[in-house]
Amino acid sequence: MEVSSHVVDNNIIVCYNPFVKYNFSMESIITIAQVAVAIILMALILLQNRGGGLSSVFGGGDSSNVFRTKRGMEKTIFILTIIFSILFLGVSIANILIRA
């Protein structure tokens, strides 16, 4: 079973397989990647826990934990959030440039 792929018109990736044939445009690949990164980014943001909610905005929160270090899983989620934010920005810019 031989599988090959090549670029047609600088935008279409065509994969040849004796059983299945897929045609994906670069716009659809980037859009799918953008949606996937957005969903992961939303999940990472929601996993970051901050106690107090809006009570700390109005002075009701505990001010002793303002300056504390992140450790373990909290630090990993924080770093992953930064990485996926930068990745989302890059994919969004690529999506704009592809469609222009």
Side-chain angles (χ1 to χ4, degrees), residues 26-66:
M26 190 61 73
E27 291 176 1
S28 65
I29 292 173
I30 297 242
T31 302
I32 291 169
Q34 187 175 14
V35 169
V37 170
I39 290 171
I40 293 170
L41 184 60
M42 285 188 292
L44 287 171
I45 289 171
L46 290 174
L47 284 174
Q48 294 182 8
N49 58 348
R50 291 283 184 214
L54 283 177
S55 65
S56 63
V57 174
F58 299 112
D62 184 20
S63 62
S64 65
N65 65 356
V66 172

Side-chain angles (χ1 to χ4, degrees), residues 2 14 17 22 42 51 59 65 69 78-80 83-84 88 97:
E2 183 176 320
V14 180
N17 188 330
Y22 297 104
M42 285 188 292
N65 65 356
T69 59
F78 179 72
I79 292 172
L80 283 174
I83 290 170
F84 274 92
F88 182 76
L97 293 177

Side-chain angles (χ1 to χ4, degrees), residues 2-33:
E2 183 176 320
V3 176
S4 64
S5 63
H6 66 283
V7 177
V8 178
D9 296 332
N10 293 329
N11 282 333
I12 307 286
I13 299 173
V14 180
C15 299
Y16 294 105
N17 188 330
F19 303 107
V20 181
K21 181 178 178 181
Y22 297 104
N23 293 324
F24 295 112
S25 68
M26 190 61 73
E27 291 176 1
S28 65
I29 292 173
I30 297 242
T31 302
I32 291 169

